[in-house]
Amino acid sequence: MGSVAIWSTHFVGNRAIVMGDGEDALQFVFHPGFVALSIFVPILVLLPAFLVVGSHDKVGKIRVAIGGSSSGLATCAMHFLGEAGIVNYALSYSIPHVLGAALVAVFACTTALTISFALRVSWTDSWWKRALCGLLLAGGVTGMHWITNTGTSYRLKRLSMPSPGDVTQNQTMIVVIALAVCAIGLLLILAILARRHRRQSADRVQQVVLACATFDPNGRLLVTPEGLLPSQTITKSYTEKSLDDVFSISHPTFLWIYRLSRNWRGIFDLLPSMRKHVHAGQEPVASQPRMVPRKSHSDDAEGSDDSSVIFRELFCVAAAELAEQINEPLEKLGVLYDEIMSTGTTGKISRALFRRSSSYPDVELGSSNPFAFGRGQLLFVVRRASKSEAARLQSQGFRFAGLQNVVEILARRMEVGREELTQSMDRMRSYSIKESMLNPGVHVGCFAVRASVGGGFDVLVRSEAKNLIPTVPFPISCLDDWQLSFLKQMDGWTFTNCLRWLRSKSDSCSEKEQMFITQLDDAFVDMAETMVDNLFQEARLVASPIHVPCLGSDDSYFPGHASIIAFHTIVPIQTRSPSPVMEFSPLSFFKCQQHVYRNTPDHEVFARRVHREFSPILEIDQKRQAARTSRLFRSSQEIPRLTPSKNAPPAHRYKWLSTLDRRASYSSSEPEKSKSGGKSEESHAWGGILVSQEVNIRVDEVGPEISPIEIDPLGVPLGSSGLATTEMEDPKTFVDSLFTICVESR
């Protein structure tokens, strides 16, 4: 576009020069080769110049000087190349005019580029500011043209009798008009597409959307050139099952996708089938999925129309498309953030509902305006990109911007409050730095739960780390047997009684016990000051230390185990958070967070359960079916195959008899013996590999003579070191233990 504008300015200006009182034979005639070549000079120079200036978010003086000088000199080169194409005049130039024209062009281009890119970096480039930059640039180009022309002398070489192939001034005007019309048409198309894109962005306010919040090492946020977050729509809308069935962080569907985002590899081989299942025939259902509670595995296997399953498939597909949008592997997309943002809260309807609700404070929730009336919901996947990853994303056209520069754009597009968005983004930035876990050792903590207004229970957690209960460190690395025995004397006592007993016993103990009592007293007092609430005075001690996950020795190792000397209490439903650094979080979500730590074995359990749930639902590839059928016929002598009885009724009705879960545990260290046959099982060279495969067996309804079934070949050799087991559930966590103690002590 810039080349067309500069080129058109030059030839329109030349058309304004009238030679010989307007005699046709004395007007300019141009050589077509120079005319065509002159349009490509600005393209070849301006594009690298703009890339140099815009290669970094910061406006560097050297880069701006290089870009502005190149642009100005390219404009001059285009002018003189076009002038060299005049075939019927010999031109001579005045050196001072040429230098003055070059200085004007360089100054105008440098100034315009500096202002334009400075506004672009600060995200304050409104349309009128861009128009002023355009006027400055156009003035510089036009001024350069006329300064040069005023110092140019024209000497007639021949009358303008065009030879074949020469271009007259009128013909150049036709080309200029054609290029201008094409440029205007292209700009209109781009404007229409931009408006459509903005309308789609506005429509996403009413949808369930997955957005990517990626931060570079400096804490800047990844945005598109328009200043928006990369995002994909999960579903346009959803219908809740009931008034109590609100899609929140305690919803079973959210808990499922939250765990999935910590182990994207669990759905790699399911994604192609998920895409087919979603796009083939589920669009009408997927457009309005209900947020229904998750059913059991057997129910999900038989009921493929479960809208919860459809929503989870839509989330997986949206996450894969979002990863493709930013050209990153799915496993590097990020982890799901532990909050859901309601969008459309600043619209007229939402403001009216908010004002109406403000006169009815909800005392039990501890807030006069607890709800955000939004039309859509926004989920975030959060991650921290390395320096090399940030550079690669920038090379793909994305930009990293300071939150203060883009928060206004984001808040306006999302229709959310600016302050609310700023606070959420600040929390996401901290969330992306490192996984929050306890340090190894002993801690004193408080497990406080309350009944939730919407059903279930809430647990008191840290605001900056919702996977941790309030704790204070204890100055020893582990508890000895005598210390455990000492603690058991206070089992079930309230905090007040424990503190009173410790202070009364400090004078009649040995020096070692006195030191331990002093440490306990200090830790209990610190815990009470952290809670800042009188309700903690009635919290009861759990004498047996509770083991909780903590930081491992290295990022590649399993989480370690720390010990917590815990107090437990059930507080009234109207209780508010005792401190600004604490808040109540749903107990189900808190429990889910204990299964998602880095390198925890629970990831494999969850991945296995995902396959068990979705494999019977997703469409099986036809080629794979054909290959399997062919393999069955070829290996009919090797695999036990029993056919239905001849007396079986001709009309067969299929039933799901059972779902077999084959779990083969291979060990290279020592052979195991089969429980049934007592034969030594083979030891495989690759060592400890856990192989899990599900086989769904479907048989005909049989008559009096029962026919065995045809066995589908497994992914591992029959008779190898495999052991059939029942469905593996998530292991119990310290949350289950403490909650059980809380309930039983009531």
Side-chain angles (χ1 to χ4, degrees), residues 359-678:
S359 59
Y360 300 98
D362 193 336
V363 179
E364 290 182 340
L365 286 179
S367 174
S368 59
N369 295 313
F371 299 110
F373 292 96
R375 294 177 290 166
Q377 291 179 310
L378 187 59
L379 309 178
F380 294 93
V381 282
V382 181
R383 73 160 177 149
R384 177 64 62 106
S386 64
K387 189 174 181 180
S388 59
E389 291 173 338
R392 185 174 66 252
L393 289 169
Q394 286 180 309
S395 67
Q396 296 170 5
F398 295 100
R399 298 174 59 187
F400 283 94
L403 182 58
Q404 68 278 3
N405 295 328
V406 295
V407 66
E408 193 66 39
I409 301 174
L410 293 173
R412 185 171 60 252
R413 291 295 181 89
M414 297 177 184
E415 296 187 13
V416 297
R418 188 180 188 276
E419 183 178 354
E420 175 192 358
L421 181 61
T422 302
Q423 294 175 355
S424 296
M425 287 297 172
D426 287 338
R427 290 194 295 269
M428 290 183 204
R429 185 189 294 113
S430 302
Y431 192 83
S432 66
I433 295 176
K434 192 176 181 181
E435 190 176 41
S436 299
M437 297 185 72
L438 288 176
N439 292 319
V442 182
H443 304 262
V444 176
C446 178
F447 185 78
V449 295
R450 72 175 185 187
S452 176
V453 176
F457 289 88
D458 296 332
V459 60
L460 187 66
V461 297
R462 304 180 189 179
S463 298
E464 77 283 357
K466 297 180 182 178
N467 60 315
L468 302 178
I469 61 175
T471 59
V472 294
F474 196 70
I476 59 175
S477 58
C478 61
L479 294 172
D480 295 332
D481 291 339
W482 70 269
Q483 293 170 328
L484 294 175
S485 300
F486 187 89
L487 286 173
K488 287 183 180 179
Q489 301 178 63
M490 299 183 289
D491 188 26
W493 291 7
T494 64
F495 166 79
T496 304
N497 293 335
C498 290
L499 209 58
R500 185 184 300 115
W501 184 77
L502 288 174
R503 292 174 179 177
S504 65
K505 196 174 179 61
S506 59
D507 297 333
S508 59
C509 295
S510 63
E511 183 178 353
K512 181 172 63 173
E513 289 180 339
Q514 287 181 357
M515 180 179 296
F516 183 62
I517 290 174
T518 302
Q519 293 171 339
L520 283 176
D521 186 281
D522 293 341
F524 287 178
V525 172
D526 290 343
M527 191 71 246
E529 293 176 352
T530 301
M531 296 297 294
V532 195
D533 196 290
N534 293 330
L535 293 174
F536 181 68
Q537 306 298 323
E538 300 301 322
R540 297 184 177 276
L541 179 68
V542 180
S544 300
I546 304 297
H547 297 291
V548 300
C550 71
L551 293 173
S553 57
D554 189 78
D555 288 343
S556 60
Y557 288 89
F558 294 148
H561 288 90
S563 299
I564 288 186
I565 303 172
F567 287 90
H568 67 87
T569 180
I570 298 181
V571 298
I573 192 173
Q574 71 273 11
T575 303
R576 302 178 60 180
S577 173
S579 171
V581 297
M582 302 179 194
E583 62 182 75
F584 280 96
S585 180
L587 180 64
S588 58
F589 179 64
F590 181 70
K591 180 180 177 181
C592 173
Q593 289 178 302
Q594 310 310 314
H595 296 291
V596 297
Y597 292 116
R598 187 191 301 271
N599 300 325
T600 177
D602 296 345
H603 290 316
E604 299 302 327
V605 177
F606 178 75
R608 179 169 169 265
R609 194 157 60 232
V610 170
H611 279 257
R612 182 178 178 87
E613 178 179 2
F614 279 89
S615 294
I617 300 172
L618 300 176
E619 179 183 0
I620 301 176
D621 186 81
Q622 297 296 329
K623 293 182 180 180
R624 184 180 177 186
Q625 280 187 328
R628 177 175 294 180
T629 303
S630 176
R631 186 169 66 251
L632 283 174
F633 279 106
R634 289 196 305 267
S635 58
S636 58
Q637 301 298 324
E638 302 175 7
I639 299 179
R641 176 172 178 168
L642 299 174
T643 57
S645 171
K646 295 182 179 180
N647 298 327
H652 303 298
R653 180 165 56 88
Y654 295 107
K655 289 184 178 180
W656 292 98
L657 293 187
S658 62
T659 300
L660 300 182
D661 179 41
R662 183 177 181 86
R663 179 185 177 90
S665 178
Y666 298 100
S667 174
S668 60
S669 57
E670 63 174 340
E672 297 181 0
K673 299 221 173 176
S674 173
K675 290 184 179 180
S676 57

Side-chain angles (χ1 to χ4, degrees), residues 61-198:
K61 296 180 180 180
I62 297 178
R63 289 184 290 107
V64 170
I66 294 175
S69 301
S70 301
S71 301
L73 295 178
T75 304
C76 295
M78 183 271 146
H79 173 82
F80 289 109
L81 189 59
E83 294 288 272
I86 301 176
V87 297
N88 58 336
Y89 282 90
L91 281 64
S92 60
Y93 302 99
S94 170
I95 299 301
H97 285 80
V98 172
L99 294 178
L103 290 176
V104 169
V106 170
F107 175 79
C109 291
T110 303
T111 304
L113 287 177
T114 302
I115 297 175
S116 177
F117 282 98
L119 295 174
R120 173 178 173 267
V121 169
S122 61
W123 296 94
T124 56
D125 52 343
S126 56
W127 67 270
W128 63 272
K129 295 179 181 178
R130 292 195 297 267
L132 290 178
C133 291
L135 288 175
L136 177 61
L137 191 59
V141 173
T142 305
M144 180 276 306
H145 176 83
W146 288 114
I147 290 174
T148 306
N149 282 341
T150 56
T152 303
S153 300
Y154 300 91
R155 183 174 58 84
L156 182 66
K157 294 193 300 186
R158 62 179 175 85
L159 296 177
S160 85
M161 296 176 60
S163 60
D166 287 344
V167 180
T168 64
Q169 284 183 314
N170 291 334
Q171 290 173 332
T172 59
M173 288 300 97
I174 294 175
V175 176
V176 167
I177 293 173
L179 289 176
V181 170
C182 292
I184 293 173
L186 182 58
L187 289 175
L188 287 175
I189 293 175
L190 293 177
I192 293 173
L193 293 177
R195 182 177 179 83
R196 180 183 178 185
H197 180 69
R198 287 194 298 269

Side-chain angles (χ1 to χ4, degrees), residues 95-364:
I95 299 301
H97 285 80
V98 172
L99 294 178
L103 290 176
V104 169
V106 170
F107 175 79
C109 291
T110 303
T111 304
L113 287 177
T114 302
I115 297 175
S116 177
F117 282 98
L119 295 174
R120 173 178 173 267
V121 169
S122 61
W123 296 94
T124 56
D125 52 343
S126 56
W127 67 270
W128 63 272
K129 295 179 181 178
R130 292 195 297 267
L132 290 178
C133 291
L135 288 175
L136 177 61
L137 191 59
V141 173
T142 305
M144 180 276 306
H145 176 83
W146 288 114
I147 290 174
T148 306
N149 282 341
T150 56
T152 303
S153 300
Y154 300 91
R155 183 174 58 84
L156 182 66
K157 294 193 300 186
R158 62 179 175 85
L159 296 177
S160 85
M161 296 176 60
S163 60
D166 287 344
V167 180
T168 64
Q169 284 183 314
N170 291 334
Q171 290 173 332
T172 59
M173 288 300 97
I174 294 175
V175 176
V176 167
I177 293 173
L179 289 176
V181 170
C182 292
I184 293 173
L186 182 58
L187 289 175
L188 287 175
I189 293 175
L190 293 177
I192 293 173
L193 293 177
R195 182 177 179 83
R196 180 183 178 185
H197 180 69
R198 287 194 298 269
R199 185 182 295 113
Q200 290 176 348
S201 299
D203 291 340
R204 288 186 177 181
V205 174
Q206 309 177 32
Q207 302 169 354
V208 183
V209 177
L210 178 66
C212 176
T214 300
F215 299 90
D216 70 353
N218 297 323
R220 297 178 302 170
L221 181 64
L222 177 73
V223 293
T224 64
E226 296 81 14
L228 304 177
L229 294 176
S231 61
Q232 288 290 333
T233 299
I234 301 176
T235 180
K236 293 182 178 179
S237 61
Y238 64 83
T239 304
E240 296 167 347
K241 184 180 178 182
S242 65
L243 293 176
D244 296 331
D245 187 30
V246 179
F247 184 54
S248 62
I249 62 174
S250 62
H251 197 281
T253 301
F254 182 86
L255 300 181
W256 189 92
I257 61 179
Y258 183 84
R259 292 192 65 175
L260 176 67
S261 69
R262 268 70 180 172
N263 185 29
W264 290 113
R265 295 180 179 274
I267 60 165
F268 277 179
D269 52 346
L270 296 177
L271 270 175
S273 298
M274 283 183 174
R275 291 180 189 269
K276 293 179 181 179
H277 191 233
V278 168
H279 297 303
Q282 297 295 341
E283 289 85 353
V285 179
S287 62
Q288 291 186 345
R290 290 185 309 174
M291 299 290 100
V292 298
R294 181 170 176 242
K295 298 182 180 181
S296 64
H297 300 304
S298 59
D299 293 337
D300 284 338
E302 296 179 2
S304 61
D305 60 341
D306 185 358
S307 53
S308 174
V309 174
I310 298 299
F311 183 86
R312 283 178 278 163
E313 287 182 344
L314 289 170
F315 174 83
C316 296
V317 173
E321 293 176 350
L322 183 58
E324 294 172 0
Q325 180 181 347
I326 62 176
N327 198 22
E328 289 284 345
L330 181 58
E331 63 269 22
K332 291 187 178 182
L333 181 62
V335 297
L336 194 66
Y337 184 52
D338 56 12
E339 291 181 9
I340 302 176
M341 180 176 293
S342 295
T343 55
T345 58
T346 59
K348 295 182 180 179
I349 297 177
S350 299
R351 287 198 298 268
L353 291 173
F354 184 79
R355 286 194 298 269
R356 184 180 303 175
S357 66
S358 62
S359 59
Y360 300 98
D362 193 336
V363 179
E364 290 182 340

